[in-house]
Amino acid sequence: MACGAAREGKSDTAALELLPSAPRKMNESKTGGSQNPTCVFCRKNDDCPIKYGEKKTNEKWNLTVHYYCLLMSSGIWQRGKEEEGVYGFLIEDIRKEVTRASKLKCCICKKTGASIGCVTPRCKRSYHFPCGLQRECIFQFTGNFASFCWNHRPVQIITSNNYRDSLPCTICLEFIEPIPTYSILRSPCCKNAWFHRDCLQVQAINAGVFFFRCTVCNNSDIFQKEMLRMGIHIPEKDASWELEENAYQELLQHYEHCDVRRCRCKEGRDYNVPDSKWEIKRCQCCGSRGTHLACSSLQSWEQNWECLECRGILYNSGDFQKAKKHTLPNTNVGITDCLLEESSPKLPRQSPGAQREDLLRQGSKFRRDISTLIIELGFQIKKKAKRLFIDKANIWNSALDGFRNQNFNPSYTIEIAYVNENDHFGKEQPGSKQEFLSLLMQQLENSPLFEGSLSKNLSLNSQALKENLYYEAGKMLAISLVHGGPSPGFFSKTLFNCLVYGPESTQPILDDVSDFDVAQIIIRINTAATVADLNSLINEYYNYLELIGCLRLITSLSDKYMLAKDILVYHVIKRVQAPFESFKQGLRTLGVLEKIQTYPEAFCNIFCHKPENLSTKILSDLFTVHTLSDVQALGFWNSYLQAVEDGKSTVTMEDILIFATGCSSIPPAGFIPTPSIECLHMDFPVGNKCNNCLALPITSTYKEFQENMDFAIKNTLRLEKEENSHFIGH
């Protein structure tokens, strides 16, 4: 991206690419030694890139500027190419701006040279960039590069403050008062996430636009938009850690050290000869401890081997030497002494975590629009059609029978025919594919295959596992996405990260535990105040900890965190390993899982977040209007939408969409066909879900229009719910 476009018209955000890390031109360099020239705008010789941007000197013209002072000056635009002048700002333009500013007095320091003015109409304040920072002005490094004085700066508004005590800044962890001020900012996507402005700015400079995101929920789009509004400069560059030479070199190193207690190799623990008994095999789970094949009595490389720590999580207590009741187990394993590892520092795991870094390093390549990605998956769908006979009162079993049919092919076009099992005449009624998929996803979300309230994880259901329902659930989800179904929106971040990066690279949190008793155990362990209290808890829960293989030797109070982590990993990940693998295989249908793993950021939004709430504008834009429609009825329609949004109607925006299309939200790939509106001479509206068509009644008054719309939509949806309510669960 050329520097020449950075400030042209003061509206091009390409200027964000011009960072302190931008390469120096041959005629531009930092001054060194005893020379410390001052900026021609602010008259300061400070060299602080985080505060003022990089300090540049054009030696030919003996001119020095701070990048931010230059960028935020009100009367200058970038008119040159990037190799011209300073950052593409022509020398003659810089001199003219200095001359203009020399006539303006800074309202803060009272000295001349105030090149920056508040953009608020009728506000006459001008100031230097450093003075503006000191007086808590806000400079927006986006759009028109606007600056605001302390009286007119944008503020963050919260409806109420429910925080009685101080909260930690989620970056530096120092406690702050949770009240939005110039120095204290709140995350727009996580209401309990607060930051120091200075902490955010340093993080933004280091992370760059591709890695700067909310530290709590990992959102980037909403978070960055708000931070730019509040004056945080987010440079459009790669993260600083990505620019370090050999930054990820350690990820390419294989761990080669024998960690068992009795290493039998006479050449030493680091001796490694491939294709021999002295070849070092790494732990299959973490990859960060190893053993010679001979030292662990492994017959071949193909045999699995786990280190002591991973084995304690994977295996149940039957494989370990049982300790006496109400005593803590020691580190001895009831196999052979040669399997015991000596304590050694863990190296970075050789696991899918490295794949995650590879994805992130490629930056914008993976920032794709979700609708485009799903449309690409839809290219696999063939014109050949397969009809599914669906009983609305038994959506789950109907879908299961259809998808398990030997003639069903997930790449065939799906046609829906609604039937009623109690109807002995066998009548068929054409149905909407997107309505069917929407109902199916609702069944899936509320099924016993998942546990949790809003953000769900896989449950452990032995009967469902026996019937291979986890595989079928993954298959249903994949088919739904590719064939235009709704966003799932109910996955926990933990479950999604397990699918993308692998269970071994994912750390669950307490919110993932839906079992109240298990959650209480973890909380009590985490809040233990002394080693004695911790040992007492271990004795109290000895049978449970022994059963799940999480007993460990306690040597200090800090061991409680590792113990709590072990329980979390077991309950959320290891316990459901078999359902997870089955579900994962089902999600591979039509290449969906591979697409998710390639573009995790795009898919995270539809897997872990519900769609945005519908509004008057969204529905107005969604429905196309036939050219011969009644003008008055269309006016009533727009007024009706506004009344619904304002809560002046008994129906909701979602009710209207369901009435017309069968879906409560807009699918990621949109509706096929596009929803449309027509006006007919009838008393009540009609929704054609197969064609996504809404027929509006033509009435003489708006009151009659609203009453008829409310009555038809409300009662139609109520009847449909009553027809389906007798079937509960599957």
Side-chain angles (χ1 to χ4, degrees):
M1 196 177 296
C3 288
R7 181 83 187 262
E8 190 173 9
K10 288 190 82 173
S11 62
D12 194 335
T13 55
L16 295 180
E17 190 177 11
L18 303 174
L19 306 168
S21 61
R24 294 189 176 90
K25 317 303 179 293
M26 291 184 63
N27 63 334
E28 295 173 9
S29 62
K30 282 187 178 180
T31 57
S34 60
Q35 295 181 344
N36 193 7
T38 60
C39 171
V40 295
F41 288 105
C42 68
R43 319 283 176 79
K44 290 182 177 291
N45 58 10
D46 299 31
D47 191 359
C48 183
I50 291 180
K51 272 190 173 183
Y52 310 129
E54 188 175 19
K55 184 178 174 184
K56 281 293 190 72
T57 297
N58 185 298
E59 295 178 349
K60 179 179 179 181
W61 298 99
N62 191 27
L63 185 145
T64 300
V65 295
H66 288 124
Y67 174 55
Y68 295 170
C69 293
L70 176 62
L71 189 63
M72 300 307 301
S73 292
S74 302
I76 189 171
W77 286 262
Q78 185 192 43
R79 298 191 300 121
K81 299 179 181 179
E82 65 173 314
E83 66 270 14
E84 296 182 89
V86 181
Y87 287 123
F89 291 83
L90 301 181
I91 299 298
E92 59 181 357
D93 290 343
I94 296 176
R95 286 180 168 177
K96 288 179 182 179
E97 179 62 2
V98 172
T99 302
R100 184 191 70 85
S102 65
K103 302 173 184 178
L104 300 174
K105 183 179 291 186
C106 176
C107 63
I108 300 171
C109 70
K110 308 304 180 183
K111 296 179 181 179
T112 59
S115 62
I116 304 172
C118 177
V119 298
T120 304
R122 298 184 181 179
C123 181
K124 304 299 182 182
R125 291 190 178 94
S126 296
Y127 33 84
H128 303 104
F129 185 87
C131 294
L133 286 182
Q134 182 181 355
R135 194 64 174 81
E136 299 184 346
C137 299
I138 280 183
F139 305 90
Q140 293 180 343
F141 294 88
T142 184
N144 291 324
F145 297 90
S147 61
F148 300 83
C149 71
W150 54 94
N151 279 346
H152 301 119
R153 70 191 182 204
V155 296
Q156 289 187 309
I157 299 175
I158 58 175
T159 54
S160 62
N161 187 356
N162 298 322
Y163 305 100
R164 298 179 180 177
D165 301 318
S166 299
L167 293 175
C169 166
T170 61
I171 298 177
C172 71
L173 301 182
E174 290 184 6
F175 281 86
I176 55 180
E177 290 299 321
I179 301 174
T181 63
Y182 175 84
S183 303
I184 305 298
L185 300 176
R186 188 181 75 163
S187 170
C189 40
C190 292
K191 295 182 179 180
N192 60 341
W194 296 80
F195 314 87
H196 291 107
R197 172 181 288 272
D198 292 342
C199 293
L200 275 172
Q201 186 57 79
V202 172
Q203 184 181 16
I205 293 296
N206 288 329
V209 69
F210 297 117
F211 291 86
F212 183 57
R213 58 196 66 198
C214 177
T215 55
V216 177
C217 71
N218 236 17
N219 179 280
S220 59
D221 295 334
I222 298 175
F223 185 76
Q224 287 188 17
K225 184 177 180 180
E226 175 66 0
M227 294 306 117
L228 286 170
R229 186 180 76 89
M230 297 306 298
I232 300 298
H233 179 211
I234 310 172
E236 192 168 310
K237 68 177 184 72
D238 218 341
S240 57
W241 57 84
E242 301 287 341
L243 302 176
E244 297 176 11
E245 186 176 0
N246 298 324
Y248 297 91
Q249 189 64 32
E250 70 276 5
L251 296 178
L252 304 177
Q253 298 175 358
H254 294 298
Y255 186 73
E256 295 183 354
H257 184 81
C258 181
D259 293 300
V260 298
R261 176 168 294 181
R262 295 180 182 177
C263 178
R264 301 176 180 178
C265 181
K266 295 181 180 179
E267 302 295 331
R269 293 183 178 272
D270 296 325
Y271 187 67
N272 181 30
V273 179
D275 301 323
S276 74
K277 66 179 181 179
W278 301 121
E279 182 173 3
I280 292 179
K281 180 172 181 65
R282 292 175 293 278
C283 172
Q284 67 166 343
C285 298
C286 67
S288 54
R289 287 193 179 180
T291 177
H292 290 115
L293 297 182
C295 296
S296 292
S297 303
L298 300 177
Q299 300 301 317
S300 69
W301 177 263
E302 284 72 24
Q303 274 188 267
N304 292 330
W305 181 82
E306 304 90 16
C307 65
L308 179 60
E309 182 177 354
C310 295
R311 191 181 307 120
I313 299 174
L314 287 173
Y315 296 157
N316 58 34
S317 58
D319 293 328
F320 288 81
Q321 178 183 358
K322 286 197 172 184
K324 294 181 180 180
K325 207 71 168 177
H326 301 298
T327 61
L328 296 178
N330 56 32
T331 56
N332 292 325
V333 180
I335 304 176
T336 60
D337 286 344
C338 70
L339 292 180
L340 290 173
E341 294 84 14
E342 63 178 11
S343 60
S344 65
K346 290 272 187 179
L347 290 181
R349 293 182 174 183
Q350 308 300 316
S351 68
Q355 299 174 9
R356 178 179 185 176
E357 296 294 342
D358 291 338
L359 293 180
L360 294 177
R361 280 200 295 274
Q362 297 190 44
S364 60
K365 177 181 177 182
F366 292 90
R367 300 168 70 88
R368 297 279 302 279
D369 182 73
I370 186 62
S371 61
T372 304
L373 295 173
I374 293 180
I375 290 172
E376 288 176 359
L377 286 170
F379 291 157
Q380 305 172 76
I381 300 177
K382 301 177 176 62
K383 291 184 178 180
K384 185 174 181 179
K386 172 62 178 177
R387 175 168 293 189
L388 298 180
F389 296 94
I390 303 299
D391 183 359
K392 268 194 176 183
N394 198 343
I395 290 284
W396 175 268
N397 286 332
S398 298
L400 203 59
D401 291 342
F403 291 162
R404 282 178 167 176
N405 189 295
Q406 60 180 359
N407 296 322
F408 177 78
N409 187 326
S411 63
Y412 288 172
T413 299
I414 294 176
E415 293 181 353
I416 301 299
Y418 286 132
V419 297
N420 189 335
E421 292 180 355
N422 298 323
D423 185 357
H424 301 290
F425 295 99
K427 294 181 181 178
E428 298 178 14
Q429 184 179 359
S432 162
K433 177 182 67 174
Q434 288 181 309
E435 179 190 31
F436 157 66
L437 294 175
S438 181
L439 294 173
L440 180 60
M441 288 303 101
Q442 292 175 23
Q443 290 279 321
L444 183 62
E445 179 178 358
N446 298 316
S447 73
L449 303 178
F450 294 90
E451 60 185 19
S453 53
L454 297 177
S455 298
K456 296 177 180 287
N457 290 290
L458 289 173
S459 65
L460 180 58
N461 188 311
S462 58
Q463 185 62 31
L465 191 61
K466 186 182 300 183
E467 296 177 7
N468 205 25
L469 292 184
Y470 290 99
Y471 170 82
E472 297 296 341
K475 181 180 176 182
M476 287 177 181
L477 185 52
I479 292 174
S480 176
L481 280 177
V482 177
H483 286 266
S487 304
F490 62 87
F491 278 39
S492 71
K493 285 291 184 64
T494 297
L495 176 55
F496 182 79
N497 288 338
C498 284
L499 290 170
V500 176
Y501 309 117
E504 66 276 13
S505 299
T506 302
Q507 178 57 48
I509 60 176
L510 185 61
D511 288 344
D512 293 320
V513 180
S514 59
D515 188 309
F516 178 80
D517 293 332
V518 175
Q520 287 301 305
I521 293 174
I522 296 173
I523 292 172
R524 292 186 65 186
I525 290 174
N526 267 327
T527 55
T530 64
V531 174
D533 291 341
L534 187 57
N535 284 329
S536 176
L537 288 172
I538 291 176
N539 285 334
E540 181 179 348
Y541 299 119
Y542 183 92
N543 291 338
Y544 171 72
L545 295 176
E546 184 183 39
L547 178 66
I548 67 175
C550 288
L551 282 174
R552 64 169 44 244
L553 179 65
I554 301 300
T555 58
S556 67
L557 186 60
S558 61
D559 290 340
K560 66 180 182 179
Y561 301 114
M562 188 58 69
L563 177 58
K565 178 182 175 181
D566 289 347
I567 299 173
L568 264 177
V569 171
Y570 169 80
H571 187 82
V572 179
I573 295 179
K574 297 297 182 183
R575 183 176 63 97
V576 295
Q577 188 172 2
F580 173 77
E581 290 300 327
S582 182
F583 179 74
K584 188 176 176 182
Q585 290 303 316
L587 202 55
R588 293 185 185 276
T589 304
L590 296 172
V592 170
L593 180 61
E594 290 75 10
K595 203 77 166 180
I596 295 172
Q597 292 172 336
T598 306
Y599 303 101
E601 287 192 5
F603 280 93
C604 181
N605 288 330
I606 67 169
F607 272 81
C608 302
H609 304 284
K610 292 294 184 182
E612 64 176 324
N613 293 330
L614 298 174
S615 65
T616 298
K617 186 179 186 310
I618 291 175
L619 284 190
S620 297
D621 294 341
L622 179 65
F623 286 89
T624 59
V625 181
H626 288 180
T627 55
L628 299 179
S629 293
D630 184 86
V631 175
Q632 186 181 33
L634 292 179
F636 289 167
W637 161 250
N638 291 326
S639 300
Y640 180 69
L641 287 180
Q642 192 61 56
V644 172
E645 185 175 15
D646 294 341
K648 298 177 181 178
S649 170
T650 56
V651 303
T652 65
M653 291 289 186
E654 287 71 23
D655 291 339
I656 297 174
L657 192 62
I658 294 173
F659 181 78
T661 67
C663 302
S664 60
S665 62
I666 302 174
F671 284 104
I672 301 176
T674 303
S676 61
I677 287 177
E678 59 183 358
C679 301
L680 300 177
H681 290 279
M682 54 176 58
D683 293 330
F684 297 99
V686 176
N688 186 338
K689 298 175 182 177
C690 293
N691 296 324
N692 298 326
C693 181
L694 176 61
L696 301 177
I698 297 178
T699 60
S700 56
T701 65
Y702 171 72
K703 181 180 179 182
E704 184 182 1
F705 180 90
Q706 179 174 350
E707 289 176 349
N708 291 355
M709 291 287 290
D710 285 351
F711 178 83
I713 294 175
K714 184 178 179 181
N715 284 281
T716 299
L717 298 184
R718 179 180 59 81
L719 289 173
E720 289 181 352
K721 289 180 180 178
E722 288 177 356
E723 289 176 1
N724 302 335
S725 62
H726 69 276
F727 178 77
I728 302 175
H730 32 78

